[in-house]
């Protein structure tokens, strides 16, 4: 088990800088999920930790030892790849035992460890098969098994579930969660899927354009996003943003409004804010309630309804032409064009600066 | 392939396909069958049979007399042995050397790699005839330490027929392209597991390279077995003569007594069999390796 520290880590490919000064600390046994859109540098960062990419600048420490110039095999890591990367010409047993065979571990120990891994991953009956005879989920188990037997200090997962279909992905996600509980090892997991991030992580690191946008526990990030990027990236459907003007300020509250929004008071915390300044109001779709038009803080008409069974996603066109999305926690049938009002608790909204899209008001828990 | 909608239609298409394939197979097999059948017949019958289908059938006065005669004219067995030795040693060494250099070009990072690879690609456009004489001059002065001590000059040896052909641009290029198409995650996974580059080559890359090994082996085998110009230049002694030069030598024995077609067919049959056998063997190995290493998406 291990602590990992990334200090001011940079990575450039030629003149293109893809990682721009990343600082992350991972505690012993912590499950950290690095999440971000495609091309944000998250896989590159993981490969740098693995030793598959050089670190251009900055340091990587595992258990207090600088690992910058160490070979992948000397870092005490094991990695699970998106494409599984199991060797097609070897049986499952040979695949799982590969690292042990290479490191000349005796056969008895090897068999013991492989059997143990197979038991944990429930694949005892697959050991003599070849990868071409396995399904996607089974192959991913083999890849995880290969990681387990080496008893690494750190497990690295590079989008391990992206190639699986939806139901299998959920099963494997739960399996990985259980695996973390039983092994209690430090794990770093890269994904673009925010559901995986929210469900698996002790700590989420949101990465965008090679920089850390915010890191913290899943609920911290969900409830107190540091900026509009984090706010919109976490949570599905994405957060709604509405431009507003600051009308009034006192110690407790900030009053904001716009032509389609009746003035509302949101809690005032954080940075300085001045009267008449522009701001952006963030509304989570789940916190919006449908009401009669006369009772709505926001009014508009329904343009699209998606019925998901337990939940209904409603897209509403506001009077100023902006669209907002509401997620209603029951099945509702709404005809297109219907006039509708939206209510929400002002304490559950987020306020961002319209200059640098950073967080302006703190959410009350 | 999608499932057939109409079984009758499917059956008809299947029959048509097999008829076409059979016709093509017969067209390709005819010359071979003609050669082998003719080699078993005396010249008079051989010439008479060419006007009918009998040319392709083992009928009439069938014997191995032509083979006996061919052997008495020239040492065919020795020629075939020489060619097989030179060819097989070159193929084995070539697969090893070219796959190693292909591995280095495909996976390792080193200064000047891309430049050197471009130079190797550029050697494609140089015809062998233009470098044959310089190669003769070089190999005639090369030193050698063998069991019989130190010597200068490689002419009239096996090694002069083998060493210059071990590495070649096309084979290296084939390996580089194939290796670049292998999933890079397999190499990275192996590196994370703690393998050396040599272990990656031996345990991961080569076992997955059946198709390219077979392709490179067939191409090299054909080039080497058909060598004519180079051994003509560098080998004057019968002891080291390969089959194609031997063929020319064999023809020369007919100048006085007229041409014995049956014996020529016997000689040709004997030198064709090793190629066919190798080709069939590699074809099986090729199919087996594709089946064993097939990576499903």
């Amino acid at each position: 088990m291990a602590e990992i520290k990334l200090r001011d880590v940079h990575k450039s490919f030629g003149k293109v800088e893809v990682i721009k000064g990343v600082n992350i600390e991972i505690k012993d046994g912590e499950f950290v999920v690095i999440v971000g859109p495609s091309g944000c540098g998250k896989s590159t960062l993981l490969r740098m930790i693995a030793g598959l990419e050089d670190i251009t600048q900055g340091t990587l420490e595992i258990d207090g030892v600088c690992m910058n110039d160490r070979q992948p095999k000397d870092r005490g890591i094991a990695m699970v790849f998106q494409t599984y990367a199991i060797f097609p010409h070897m049986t499952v047993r040979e695949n799982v035992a590969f690292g042990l065979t290479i490191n000349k571990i005796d056969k008895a120990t090897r068999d013991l460890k492989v059997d143990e891994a197979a038991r944990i991953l429930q694949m005892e009956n697959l050991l003599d098969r070849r990868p071409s005879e396995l399904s996607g989920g089974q192959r991913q188990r083999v890849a995880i098994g290969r990681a387990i037997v080496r008893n690494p200090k750190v497990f690295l997962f590079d989008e391990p579930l992206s190639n699986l279909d939806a139901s299998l992905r959920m099963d494997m996600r739960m399996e990985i969660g259980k695996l973390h509980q039983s092994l209690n090892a430090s794990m770093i997991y890269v994904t673009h899927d925010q559901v995986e991030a929210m469900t698996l992580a002790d700590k989420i690191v949101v990465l965008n354009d090679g920089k850390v946008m915010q890191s913290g526990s899943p609920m911290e990030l969900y409830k107190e996003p540091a900026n509009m990027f984090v706010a919109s990236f976490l949570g599905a459907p994405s957060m709604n943003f509405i431009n507003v003007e600051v009308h009034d300020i006192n110690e407790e509250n900030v009053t904001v409004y716009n032509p389609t929004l009746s003035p509302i008071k949101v809690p005032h915390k954080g940075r300085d804010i001045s009267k008449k300044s522009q701001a952006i109001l963030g509304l989570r779709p789940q916190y919006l309630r449908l009401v009669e038009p006369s009772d709505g803080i926001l009014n508009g008409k329904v343009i699209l309804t998606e019925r998901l069974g337990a939940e209904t996603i409603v897209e509403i066109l506001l009077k100023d032409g902006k669209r907002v999305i509401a997620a209603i926690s029951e099945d509702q049938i709404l005809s297109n064009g219907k006039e509708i009002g939206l209510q929400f608790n002002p304490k559950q909204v987020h306020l961002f600066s319209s200059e640098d899209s950073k967080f302006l008001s703190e959410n009350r828990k | 392939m999608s499932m057939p909608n109409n079984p009758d239609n499917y059956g008809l298409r299947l029959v048509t396909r097999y008829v076409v394939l059979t016709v093509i197979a017969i067209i390709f097999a005819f010359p071979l069958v003609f050669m082998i059948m003719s080699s078993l017949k005396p010249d008079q019958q051989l010439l008479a049979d060419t006007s009918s289908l009998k040319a392709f059938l083992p009928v009439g006065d069938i014997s191995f007399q032509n083979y006996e005669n061919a052997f008495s004219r020239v040492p065919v067995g020795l020629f075939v042995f020489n060619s097989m030795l030179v060819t097989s040693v070159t193929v084995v060494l070539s697969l090893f050397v070219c796959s190693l250099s292909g591995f280095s070009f495909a996976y390792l990072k080193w200064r000047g790699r891309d430049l050197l690879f471009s130079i190797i690609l550029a050697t494609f456009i140089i015809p062998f005839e233009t470098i044959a004489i310089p190669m003769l001059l070089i190999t005639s002065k090369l030193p050698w330490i063998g069991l019989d001590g130190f010597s200068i000059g490689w002419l009239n040896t096996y090694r002069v027929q083998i060493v210059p052909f071990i590495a070649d641009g096309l084979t290296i290029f084939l390996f580089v392209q194939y290796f670049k198409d292998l999933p890079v995650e397999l190499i990275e996974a192996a590196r994370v597991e703690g393998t050396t580059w040599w272990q990656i080559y031996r345990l991961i890359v080569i076992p997955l390279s059946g198709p390219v090994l077979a392709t490179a082996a067939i191409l090299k085998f054909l080039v080497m077995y058909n060598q004519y110009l180079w051994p003509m230049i560098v080998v004057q002694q019968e002891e080291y003569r390969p089959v194609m030069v031997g063929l020319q030598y064999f023809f020369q024995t007919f100048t006085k007594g007229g041409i014995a077609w049956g014996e020529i067919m016997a000689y040709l049959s004997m030198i064709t069999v090793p190629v066919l056998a190798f080709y069939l063997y590699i074809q099986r190995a090729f199919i087996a390796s594709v089946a064993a290493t097939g990576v499903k998406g």
Side-chain angles (χ1 to χ4, degrees):
Chain A
M1 306 309 108
E3 283 185 8
I4 301 120
K5 282 183 190 156
L6 291 154
R7 291 212 180 107
D8 193 29
V9 166
H10 291 255
K11 173 74 189 175
S12 302
F13 292 107
K15 285 182 181 166
V16 185
E17 193 176 31
V18 290
I19 300 290
K20 303 166 182 171
V22 165
N23 289 290
I24 302 174
E25 287 202 13
I26 297 161
K27 293 194 199 100
D28 187 17
E30 202 168 31
F31 196 125
V32 172
V33 176
I34 301 174
V35 70
S38 296
C40 71
K42 55 191 190 297
S43 281
T44 306
L45 192 61
L46 194 75
R47 291 165 56 81
M48 287 159 79
I49 298 171
L52 296 170
E53 299 283 357
D54 296 334
I55 296 171
T56 311
Q57 192 193 315
T59 55
L60 162 70
E61 284 179 14
I62 298 179
D63 273 346
V65 181
C66 178
M67 291 285 163
N68 285 37
D69 299 321
R70 296 273 182 102
Q71 286 293 311
K73 64 186 167 76
D74 302 324
R75 297 187 178 202
I77 50 131
M79 187 158 172
V80 177
F81 293 83
Q82 179 178 355
T83 52
Y84 324 131
I86 50 178
F87 307 121
H89 57 297
M90 298 180 192
T91 63
V92 169
R93 181 180 284 282
E94 287 164 344
N95 261 290
V96 174
F98 184 78
L100 305 175
T101 314
I102 287 296
N103 293 305
K104 299 193 169 68
I105 307 294
D106 65 278
K107 190 171 183 311
T109 316
R110 227 157 57 201
D111 285 347
L112 206 70
K113 288 199 165 192
V114 172
D115 291 339
E116 170 70 5
R119 192 186 54 74
I120 294 173
L121 295 166
Q122 296 164 5
M123 55 174 196
E124 290 106 321
N125 55 339
L126 304 178
L127 286 175
D128 296 319
R129 291 207 202 159
R130 288 201 180 256
S132 56
E133 299 166 297
L134 303 179
S135 67
Q138 288 169 330
R139 289 182 200 190
Q140 196 54 279
R141 276 169 212 270
V142 177
I144 295 172
R146 190 171 63 194
I148 292 177
V149 291
R150 290 181 49 228
N151 235 353
K153 289 182 187 172
V154 188
F155 283 85
L156 306 177
F157 294 91
D158 187 5
E159 308 211 23
L161 309 183
S162 302
N163 284 12
L164 304 178
D165 59 52
S167 69
L168 202 55
R169 202 179 305 163
M170 198 169 107
D171 291 347
M172 283 303 288
R173 195 173 74 213
M174 290 177 170
E175 297 257 351
I176 291 176
K178 283 184 209 156
L179 191 72
H180 177 239
Q181 282 173 5
S182 63
L183 298 176
N184 202 26
S186 308
M187 292 185 173
I188 306 177
Y189 187 108
V190 159
T191 182
H192 63 265
D193 183 326
Q194 48 140 325
V195 179
E196 282 171 29
M198 294 296 287
T199 50
L200 286 170
D202 294 324
K203 179 156 98 183
I204 295 180
V205 176
V206 181
L207 209 63
N208 187 34
D209 194 23
K211 285 180 274 199
V212 174
M213 295 282 109
Q214 190 179 6
S215 68
S217 75
M219 279 307 136
E220 212 175 299
L221 266 60
Y222 185 78
K223 291 189 171 164
E224 294 166 26
N227 50 50
M228 283 171 68
F229 179 82
V230 176
S232 66
F233 195 80
L234 295 179
S238 276
M239 186 183 275
N240 298 298
F241 294 111
I242 296 171
N243 294 320
V244 290
E245 194 181 307
V246 177
H247 179 62
D248 194 16
I249 306 166
N250 62 35
E251 276 183 16
E252 283 284 302
N253 297 307
V254 179
T255 309
V256 296
Y257 78 106
N258 79 11
T260 55
L261 177 81
S262 326
I264 54 162
K265 287 179 178 175
V266 302
H268 175 213
K269 269 200 166 184
R271 303 195 318 174
D272 285 343
I273 189 163
S274 56
K275 255 188 182 182
K276 299 276 177 197
S277 66
Q278 297 294 314
I280 293 160
L281 196 65
L283 296 167
R284 290 232 178 256
Q286 288 78 2
Y287 294 156
L288 294 175
R289 292 189 312 276
L290 299 187
V291 292
E292 289 302 316
S294 54
D295 298 334
I297 303 177
L298 281 167
N299 289 318
K301 58 184 177 186
V302 174
I303 52 172
L304 186 75
T305 315
E306 288 180 326
R307 295 168 66 199
L308 306 177
E311 191 182 44
T312 310
I313 310 292
V314 189
E315 192 175 351
I316 297 138
L317 183 67
L318 300 181
K319 293 230 165 74
D320 61 356
K322 257 191 98 59
R323 287 157 194 238
V324 295
I325 294 196
I328 314 301
S329 62
E330 57 196 21
D331 185 28
Q332 285 213 4
I333 303 169
L334 296 163
S335 54
N336 286 355
K338 183 181 160 112
E339 291 286 337
I340 210 160
L342 290 168
Q343 268 281 5
F344 53 85
N345 179 354
K347 289 180 178 170
Q348 287 178 320
V349 306
H350 307 265
L351 201 58
F352 301 95
S353 154
S354 59
E355 283 161 24
D356 57 8
S357 47
K358 291 217 168 119
F359 194 54
L360 279 178
S361 79
E362 192 176 281
N363 209 8
R364 289 276 159 85
K365 287 164 197 165
Chain B
M1 197 169 62
S2 60
M3 282 297 287
N5 295 331
N6 181 346
D8 292 340
N9 201 0
Y10 177 69
L12 189 70
R13 270 189 294 165
L14 202 65
V15 170
T16 316
R17 187 181 305 161
Y18 274 97
V19 167
V20 171
L21 288 176
T22 309
V23 170
I24 292 173
I26 289 171
I27 291 172
F28 277 88
F30 262 159
L32 282 174
V33 175
F34 175 73
M35 177 181 77
I36 292 166
M37 292 308 148
S38 302
S39 74
L40 300 171
K41 299 170 183 174
D43 269 14
Q44 217 174 358
Q45 190 199 333
L46 186 161
L47 293 170
D49 282 355
T50 48
S51 58
S52 70
L53 266 182
K54 283 185 192 164
F56 304 105
L57 299 171
V59 290
D61 187 6
I62 297 296
S63 76
F64 286 100
Q65 189 59 46
N66 288 329
Y67 288 83
E68 265 181 52
N69 295 349
F71 270 106
S72 67
R73 279 181 195 271
V74 289
V76 188
L78 177 68
F79 295 163
V80 172
F81 171 81
N82 285 343
S83 271
M84 287 305 289
L85 181 78
V86 166
T87 302
S88 50
V89 171
T90 313
V91 168
V92 170
L93 291 177
S94 173
L95 291 185
F96 179 66
V97 170
C98 295
S99 64
L100 263 187
S101 54
F103 182 86
S104 168
F105 282 119
Y107 299 124
L108 307 183
K109 287 178 190 160
W110 39 277
R111 193 182 288 270
R113 181 187 68 173
D114 295 342
L115 177 69
L116 189 60
F117 189 56
S118 313
I119 293 171
I120 286 177
L121 290 185
T123 62
F124 281 18
I125 57 170
I126 302 171
F128 178 73
E129 287 75 4
T130 60
I131 56 167
I133 302 303
M135 264 172 69
L136 171 70
L137 294 176
I138 293 169
T139 49
S140 67
K141 288 173 191 156
L142 281 178
W144 183 260
I145 301 172
L147 292 174
D148 49 354
F150 181 81
S151 59
I152 292 282
W154 286 18
L155 303 186
N156 287 312
T157 56
Y158 287 126
R159 63 178 175 271
V160 74
Q161 301 181 65
I162 294 172
V163 177
F165 301 98
I166 290 172
D168 74 288
L170 177 66
T171 314
I172 292 173
F173 175 73
L174 280 179
F175 277 109
V176 171
Q177 290 310 108
Y178 185 85
F179 290 162
K180 280 186 173 171
D181 282 346
L182 283 179
V184 69
E185 290 86 358
L186 292 180
I187 314 295
E188 292 179 341
R191 282 182 63 199
V192 170
E193 295 288 322
T195 49
T196 59
W197 284 111
W198 170 246
Q199 284 171 320
I200 291 176
Y201 169 80
R202 195 168 56 88
L203 301 174
I204 310 293
V205 172
I206 288 301
L208 293 174
S209 298
V212 70
L213 287 169
T215 310
I218 287 176
L219 291 178
K220 197 63 160 183
F221 186 96
L222 292 178
V223 167
M224 290 310 292
Y225 197 76
N226 292 329
Q227 282 279 15
Y228 178 71
L229 179 63
W230 181 246
M232 257 311 251
I233 300 172
V234 295
V235 175
Q236 270 78 45
Q237 293 170 9
E238 194 173 280
E239 200 185 340
Y240 300 108
R241 188 168 287 156
V243 284
M244 293 306 160
V245 180
L247 184 63
Q248 180 64 24
Y249 187 56
F250 181 70
F251 282 143
Q252 283 166 8
T253 62
F254 292 114
T255 46
K256 284 169 192 163
I259 290 175
W261 288 109
E263 289 178 32
I264 290 176
M265 292 300 170
Y267 186 97
L268 292 177
S269 300
M270 283 188 278
I271 68 173
T272 309
V273 166
V275 184
L276 279 180
F278 180 76
Y279 196 82
L280 290 175
Y281 168 75
I282 286 286
Q283 194 187 28
R284 278 167 176 270
F286 180 84
I287 291 167
S289 75
V290 171
T293 59
V295 189
K296 205 175 78 178

